[in-house]
Amino acid sequence: MFSRDALAVDKNFLLSEHFESEALPLRCSGNCPTITEDLAFSGAKSLKIQLDLDSSPVSYRTEVQQAGFANFKDVYRYAFKIYLPDSYVADSVWELVAQWHAYPDFEIGETWRNPPLALATTNGEWTISNAWDAKRNTFATGNRVYDGQEKWVLGDYETDVWTAWLFEVKWSHTDDGYIKVWKNGELVVSKSGPNTFNDKVGTYFKAGIYKGWRNKNTIPKNGVRSRTLYFDDITIETKNGGVDPLK
């Protein structure tokens, strides 16, 4: 487990990573992805994400995560490209490919919650989910209780093609927040209002595969047992950075 203080370095939060060096530029969460020359959106390399139910040391997670937290009330733009190969067939076991996680305030009785914002590929569809809570302690009643949750189903995902995503978010647990999402340059989500939790620190970004394989006994015998996908051109900037999701 990482500490909140270890991540709270704003100067390291913004990034533009194209994975052209040999060294992995982001910290691992679960299994470490690799840099590959198999394919790339730009340049010669990309980030390869592999997860195997039977052979991966961590059966349910291969991700990278950015050091640093977003500031509440600031506007951030997160842009990245994802490539799903034709082997990425539809599967009923849930899987997140990008998530903006929140760090609980353990000292007041909180523990881990759903990510406030996530991009998923469950059941062969692109979906985006959002959870929020203005209460200081989401577990104040003894159970995890959110103020609200919302989900957008964006249709079947495409394989053997790069998909460009751009998320613009003003993180807030009050009415002044908003989320806008573009897929290949087309606005597919636009929401105003609260979009995160009332925590001491803001969200942090993760990319890769986080799949519902923690309990192997609940996995269908005829289901998918391995996943591979690719990321390229991960950029996190303030709104004035002018990220173009198509370039």
Side-chain angles (χ1 to χ4, degrees):
M1 180 180 294
F2 56 86
S3 70
R4 179 168 57 210
D5 292 340
L7 289 180
V9 185
D10 278 346
K11 68 180 181 179
N12 290 331
F13 186 72
L14 303 184
L15 73 95
S16 181
E17 183 53 56
H18 307 283
F19 307 105
E20 294 303 307
S21 66
E22 296 296 328
L24 189 64
L26 302 168
R27 67 177 66 189
C28 301
S29 178
N31 311 297
C32 282
T34 57
I35 294 175
T36 182
E37 295 182 352
D38 289 354
L39 74 165
F41 181 86
S42 64
K45 300 176 183 178
S46 66
L47 185 69
K48 187 175 185 177
I49 311 290
Q50 293 179 293
L51 184 67
D52 189 281
L53 177 62
D54 301 307
S55 63
S56 293
V58 179
S59 65
Y60 55 90
R61 187 194 301 274
T62 300
E63 294 177 297
V64 291
Q65 69 182 49
Q66 172 62 21
F69 295 98
N71 296 317
F72 294 117
K73 309 296 185 178
D74 286 354
V75 177
Y76 292 89
R77 285 186 139 200
Y78 307 83
F80 50 89
K81 316 297 190 301
I82 300 181
Y83 185 97
L84 307 178
D86 60 8
S87 61
Y88 202 92
V89 297
D91 188 48
S92 62
V93 178
W94 61 263
E95 52 202 5
L96 307 183
V97 295
Q99 57 174 316
W100 291 258
H101 227 308
Y103 195 88
D105 296 319
F106 292 105
E107 65 273 18
I108 62 172
E110 288 190 323
T111 188
W112 295 104
R113 301 151 296 188
N114 299 88
L117 185 60
L119 174 65
T121 54
T122 311
N123 288 319
E125 295 181 312
W126 291 116
T127 62
I128 294 172
S129 58
N130 179 218
W132 62 92
D133 187 25
K135 297 189 299 295
R136 187 64 190 88
N137 184 350
T138 301
F139 296 82
T141 64
N143 298 308
R144 181 182 64 192
V145 180
Y146 301 136
D147 283 345
Q149 292 179 276
E150 192 165 359
K151 181 178 179 179
W152 298 268
V153 179
L154 305 179
D156 294 348
Y157 58 62
E158 307 84 3
T159 60
D160 283 339
V161 65
W162 286 98
T163 302
W165 292 96
L166 173 62
F167 287 72
E168 182 176 298
V169 187
K170 181 179 181 181
W171 295 107
S172 178
H173 63 269
T174 65
D175 289 340
D176 62 348
Y178 72 82
I179 299 170
K180 293 182 179 180
V181 183
W182 290 262
K183 174 178 175 266
N184 292 332
E186 177 185 358
L187 184 66
V188 293
V189 172
S190 182
K191 174 205 168 174
S192 297
N195 55 39
T196 191
F197 304 130
N198 185 4
D199 295 327
K200 284 187 176 180
V201 297
T203 62
Y204 58 98
F205 176 68
K206 304 182 77 176
I209 302 175
Y210 177 43
K211 192 163 176 62
W213 284 348
R214 189 187 293 261
N215 184 351
K216 295 184 178 182
N217 294 327
T218 64
I219 298 167
K221 292 183 179 180
N222 60 346
V224 166
R225 302 191 73 83
S226 66
R227 279 299 204 211
T228 298
L229 58 83
Y230 301 83
F231 275 83
D232 208 352
D233 297 352
I234 297 179
T235 306
I236 303 174
E237 296 185 278
T238 58
K239 183 177 181 180
N240 291 334
V243 178
D244 186 335
L246 299 180
K247 295 183 178 180

